[in-house]
């Protein structure tokens, strides 16, 4: 009898410990929006007024006359009630930066915790050519620790599957020449057929999510995927036919299905839910349940914030699911944008206010992003954290929260001590960026002389160092006939701003504070030696950033 009782106690203790281990391992949902502006979320737009608008963007909006700037501010405050509440009840990082001003470099930086410039990645085309190094994605550590892992939505950190091109060329009788097929634009029918069958969203197997730490993948390896009937979506390694369902709703439903399946297997989950919203094209009308919340006379304004509200409502749906399953307390929700807002005609005010510029530029508006963490079991009191942090810190924080040791060779830091309000030490002493500084990703493209792609290829490169709320920027030479407002071009130059007091970068302190400029320039010089030239293109532009080192 004693032996039976002892066996029972051992089994009970083992089961209890197993349950406790599962309870101690937080579930994680990492939500990332695409091209979402700093103040297009309510908790940030509540902190600004119309006086904080980027004056160039305000003038652009007024000239177009599509909507009222005051109405835009009002809608930004009413479009995200759930997200703003989660931010207010969690930890808001008010001084957070993307790792790049463009989506693919930013996303591979986030996925690896490594500053992507170290791999020669400065533009989307560099990332598409390079892809992730084997074993570099931090999600693999979660997978190895027993997490069920899913990526749903935008991937865009690897190469497209060129084997599809070879196969379709052969099917159409086009002969290979020295292993290089002719450009697809010579064969519009082949190009159309490839697009119908998902080529633009395809991914080389070695760069695919399922071969890099994820159990489930439903997404697209491309910069965009239209809200309805996209042809570039893949489920695992299979192309998905066009789906008429609004993809913000679809992606959320798939995430809930995956979480349900993980719970049935008694496994903690890590879900990357990387929405298409609010990347272009923004013309498609949001479903009525979202659109009807907004009642201005402007379709553009109503529709933009309807797409934003759709995300918010889907996050509410996720939260309700977590509550129904009894796991809301110990589920961490991380929210951010991949880069500054691609603000313009259809991505509206207040945009990136109080910062100037937009996606693709190394002004603050191109790299400042909203970032918050909500985790009831791990965050005991709401906190507004003003530390200098990076999106590179997101995955290291997740690893630390789940008890996984961080790799030594990454640039991202764990924010766990700051979630628990147990540290006042700086997260980063400084942050550094470099890459293309172009105008084609927002309202500033109105000044382009050339079409979009050649304008990008001629755009100057830039670098930025931020430390102690000072930002030093170097912009290389702008060639003549690049922009209508500076037709004769512009020589390379430096500028220095105190971004906490002057977020709109209106007072250049370069001459007033030369010692700070020298200090920040020396940081760039130290870091730049670790950065190779671009993988794909722009080597001539890059050389202008490093030619002045130690001058």
């Amino acid at each position: 009898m004693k032996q039976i009782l002892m066996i029972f106690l051992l089994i009970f203790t083992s089961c209890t410990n197993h349950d406790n281990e599962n309870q101690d391992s937080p579930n994680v949902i990492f939500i990332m929006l695409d091209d979402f502006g700093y103040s297009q979320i309510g908790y940030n737009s509540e902190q600004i007024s119309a006086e904080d608008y980027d004056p160039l963007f305000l003038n652009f909006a007024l000239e177009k006359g599509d909507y009222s700037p005051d109405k835009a501010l009002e809608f930004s405050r009413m479009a995200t009630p759930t997200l703003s509440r989660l931010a207010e009840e969690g930890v808001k990082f008010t001084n957070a930066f993307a790792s790049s001003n463009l989506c693919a470099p930013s996303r591979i930086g986030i996925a690896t915790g490594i500053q992507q410039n170290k791999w020669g990645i400065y533009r989307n085309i560099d990332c598409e050519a390079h892809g992730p190094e084997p074993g570099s994605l931090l999600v693999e550590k979660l997978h190895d620790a027993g997490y069920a892992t899913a990526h749903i939505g935008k991937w865009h950190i690897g190469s497209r599957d060129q084997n599809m091109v070879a196969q379709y060329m052969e099917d159409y009788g086009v002969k290979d020449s020295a292993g290089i097929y002719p450009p697809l634009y010579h064969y519009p029918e082949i190009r159309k057929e490839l697009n119908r069958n998902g080529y633009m969203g395809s991914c080389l197997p070695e760069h695919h999510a399922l071969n890099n730490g994820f159990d489930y993948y439903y997404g697209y390896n491309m910069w965009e995927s239209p809200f309805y009937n996209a042809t570039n979506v893949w489920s695992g390694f299979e192309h998905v036919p066009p789906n008429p369902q609004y993809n913000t709703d679809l992606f959320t439903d798939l995430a809930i299905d995956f979480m349900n399946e993980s719970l049935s297997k008694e496994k903690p989950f890590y879900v990357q839910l990387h929405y298409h919203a609010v990347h272009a094209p923004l013309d498609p009308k949001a479903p009525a349940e979202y659109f009807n919340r907004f009642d201005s006379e402007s379709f553009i304004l109503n529709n933009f914030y309807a797409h934003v509200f759709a995300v918010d409502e889907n996050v509410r749906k996720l939260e309700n699911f977590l509550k129904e399953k009894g796991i809301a307390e110990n589920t961490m929700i991380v929210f951010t944008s991949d880069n500054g807002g691609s603000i313009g005609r259809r991505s509206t005010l207040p945009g990136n206010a109080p910062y100037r510029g937009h996606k693709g530029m190394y002004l603050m508006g191109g790299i400042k992003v909203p970032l918050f963490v909500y985790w009831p079991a791990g965050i005991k009191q709401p906190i507004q954290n003003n530390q200098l942090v990076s999106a590179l810190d997101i995955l290291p924080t997740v690893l630390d929260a789940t008890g996984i040791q961080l790799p030594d060779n990454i640039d991202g830091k764990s924010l766990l001590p700051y979630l628990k309000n147990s540290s006042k030490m700086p997260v980063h002493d400084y942050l550094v960026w470099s890459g293309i500084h172009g105008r084609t990703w927002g309202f500033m493209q109105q000044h382009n002389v050339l079409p979009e792609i050649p304008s990008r290829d001629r755009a100057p490169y830039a670098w930025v160092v931020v430390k102690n709320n000072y930002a030093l920027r170097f912009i290389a030479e702008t060639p003549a006939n690049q922009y209508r407002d500076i037709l004769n071009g512009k020589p390379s130059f430096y500028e220095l701003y105190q971004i906490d007091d002057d977020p709109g970068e209106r007072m250049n302190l370069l001459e007033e504070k030369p010692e700070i400029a020298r200090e920040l320039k020396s940081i760039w010089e130290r870091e730049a030696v670790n950065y190779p030239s671009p993988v794909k293109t722009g080597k001539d532009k890059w050389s202008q950033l490093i030619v002045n080192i130690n001058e």
Side-chain angles (χ1 to χ4, degrees):
M1 183 68 180
K2 288 183 179 179
Q3 287 179 327
I4 294 173
L5 181 61
M6 183 65 70
I7 291 170
F8 174 80
L9 288 172
L10 285 171
I11 293 172
F12 178 80
T13 302
S14 174
C15 291
T16 303
N17 287 342
H18 177 70
D19 289 345
N20 286 339
E21 286 173 5
N22 283 342
Q23 290 171 1
D24 291 340
S25 300
N27 302 298
V28 181
I29 305 173
F30 173 22
I31 299 168
M32 184 153 64
L33 266 59
D34 200 341
D35 294 354
F36 190 51
Y38 184 83
S39 283
Q40 290 173 337
I41 190 168
Y43 75 85
N44 279 340
S45 66
E46 289 284 355
Q47 309 304 314
I48 65 168
S49 68
E51 294 178 355
D52 297 306
Y53 287 163
D54 178 341
L56 295 179
F57 186 33
L58 176 60
N59 288 340
F60 172 86
L62 291 173
E63 287 173 5
K64 297 298 180 184
D66 293 320
Y67 57 85
S68 157
D70 290 339
K71 203 70 173 176
L73 186 58
E74 175 190 336
F75 283 5
S76 71
R77 293 171 175 173
M78 61 185 281
T80 57
T82 300
L83 288 167
S84 293
R85 174 177 54 79
L86 297 181
E88 296 296 346
E89 294 175 1
V91 177
K92 293 181 294 183
F93 293 95
T94 61
N95 198 20
F97 288 85
S99 71
S100 173
N101 61 1
L102 291 175
C103 50
S106 177
R107 288 166 187 267
I108 201 169
I110 290 171
T112 62
I114 294 173
Q115 220 291 354
Q116 65 283 344
N117 290 168
K118 292 181 176 178
W119 288 331
I121 295 174
Y122 305 92
R123 291 179 56 180
N124 289 349
I125 54 177
D126 296 324
C127 188
E128 291 165 359
H130 186 280
E133 297 278 356
S136 64
L137 268 62
L138 295 178
V139 70
E140 294 182 52
K141 296 191 175 296
L142 287 163
H143 186 270
D144 293 346
Y147 271 74
T149 54
H151 177 90
I152 298 167
K154 182 169 176 174
W155 183 242
H156 203 197
I157 63 172
S159 301
R160 296 182 192 89
D161 188 356
Q162 298 300 323
N163 296 319
M164 289 185 67
V165 177
Q167 183 60 55
Y168 278 79
M169 287 286 192
E170 289 179 11
D171 290 348
Y172 275 78
V174 179
K175 299 297 183 182
D176 184 5
S177 175
I180 302 172
Y181 281 93
L184 280 173
Y185 60 77
H186 289 318
Y187 300 93
E189 285 303 314
I190 299 178
R191 183 173 184 171
K192 189 182 298 182
E193 190 71 14
L194 279 164
N195 289 344
R196 274 199 299 262
N197 287 277
Y199 167 69
M200 291 302 292
S202 67
C203 191
L204 274 181
E206 55 264 40
H207 296 163
H208 199 285
L210 295 185
N211 290 325
N212 286 277
F214 286 96
D215 297 310
Y216 176 81
Y217 173 77
Y218 187 98
Y220 52 99
N221 185 41
M222 188 180 167
W223 54 88
E224 68 187 27
S225 185
F227 286 111
Y228 306 97
N229 294 307
T231 61
N232 63 346
V233 177
W234 293 70
S235 179
F237 294 103
E238 299 295 325
H239 178 237
V240 177
N243 190 324
Q245 186 179 359
Y246 183 62
N247 68 17
T248 300
D249 295 340
L250 173 62
F251 293 169
T252 304
D253 291 345
L254 292 171
I256 289 174
D257 289 345
F258 178 83
M259 291 186 284
N260 246 330
E261 182 180 348
S262 303
L263 292 173
S264 71
K265 296 177 181 177
E266 299 184 350
K267 296 185 72 171
F269 56 76
Y270 170 79
V271 175
Q272 285 189 175
L273 186 50
H274 292 181
Y275 290 109
H276 162 73
V278 286
H279 195 290
L282 288 166
D283 290 326
K285 185 177 179 180
E289 64 209 83
Y290 310 126
F291 187 88
N292 291 344
R293 181 176 176 85
F294 305 95
D295 60 355
S296 79
E297 296 178 357
S298 168
F299 173 84
I300 285 177
L301 186 63
N302 294 345
N303 201 46
F304 177 76
Y305 280 107
H307 288 309
V308 175
F309 181 56
V311 172
D312 194 82
E313 282 289 270
N314 275 275
V315 172
R316 185 167 69 91
K317 184 176 180 179
L318 290 168
E319 186 185 24
N320 288 339
F321 167 81
L322 299 174
K323 288 177 178 178
E324 289 168 7
K325 297 297 181 179
I327 57 173
E329 282 291 306
N330 200 28
T331 297
M332 174 189 289
I333 298 176
V334 183
F335 177 90
T336 194
S337 175
D338 57 348
N339 41 248
S342 183
I343 54 177
R345 188 78 182 266
R346 291 169 178 79
S347 179
T348 72
L349 289 164
N352 299 312
Y355 306 101
R356 68 179 176 123
H358 54 67
K359 173 185 178 178
M361 306 179 79
Y362 273 114
L363 307 179
M364 291 299 103
I367 49 179
K368 286 283 285 192
V369 291
L371 172 62
F372 72 78
V373 179
Y374 174 79
W375 180 25
I379 297 171
K380 299 307 180 186
Q381 63 182 37
I383 302 167
Q384 177 173 300
N385 184 292
N386 301 321
Q387 293 269 11
L388 179 63
V389 302
S390 169
L392 298 172
D393 304 327
I394 292 173
L395 267 295
T397 302
V398 171
L399 294 185
D400 200 11
T402 56
I404 299 172
Q405 185 173 352
L406 272 60
D408 294 329
N409 62 337
I410 61 174
D411 301 301
K413 309 292 183 184
S414 172
L415 301 176
L416 187 62
Y418 307 91
L419 302 184
K420 298 181 176 296
N421 204 21
S422 61
S423 177
K424 302 297 182 186
M425 296 295 292
V427 181
H428 297 274
D429 291 330
Y430 56 83
L431 294 174
V432 179
W433 299 260
S434 57
I436 190 172
H437 179 72
R439 297 183 177 186
T440 59
W441 289 273
F443 70 92
M444 289 294 286
Q445 68 180 322
Q446 66 181 313
H447 300 297
N448 287 0
V449 172
L450 299 172
E452 185 173 316
I453 292 176
S455 182
R456 291 180 188 181
D457 291 339
R458 296 182 83 241
Y461 274 36
W463 58 257
V464 184
V465 177
V466 170
K467 180 179 181 180
N468 294 334
N469 281 308
Y470 284 95
L472 178 69
R473 180 184 302 109
F474 172 80
I475 300 176
E477 179 183 0
T478 302
N481 299 310
Q482 173 72 358
Y483 303 124
R484 294 187 182 92
D485 55 334
I486 45 173
L487 270 176
N488 293 327
K490 188 172 184 178
S492 62
F493 64 98
Y494 291 90
E495 48 190 2
L496 176 71
Y497 298 97
Q498 188 171 353
I499 53 177
D500 55 344
D501 291 339
D502 181 23
E505 302 175 80
R506 293 166 183 167
M507 186 177 296
N508 187 353
L509 302 175
L510 188 68
E511 294 184 3
E512 185 177 332
K513 296 185 179 292
E515 69 286 352
I516 293 176
R518 282 194 295 270
E519 178 190 2
L520 271 57
K521 182 173 181 287
S522 69
I523 291 172
W524 160 253
E525 291 171 346
R526 289 200 309 272
E527 294 293 330
V529 298
N530 299 313
Y531 301 160
S533 61
V535 171
K536 188 69 175 176
T537 190
K539 291 177 172 58
D540 57 331
K541 306 295 183 183
W542 170 253
S543 67
Q544 295 181 46
L545 301 189
I546 58 174
V547 71
N548 64 340
I549 287 182
N550 297 322
E551 283 185 358

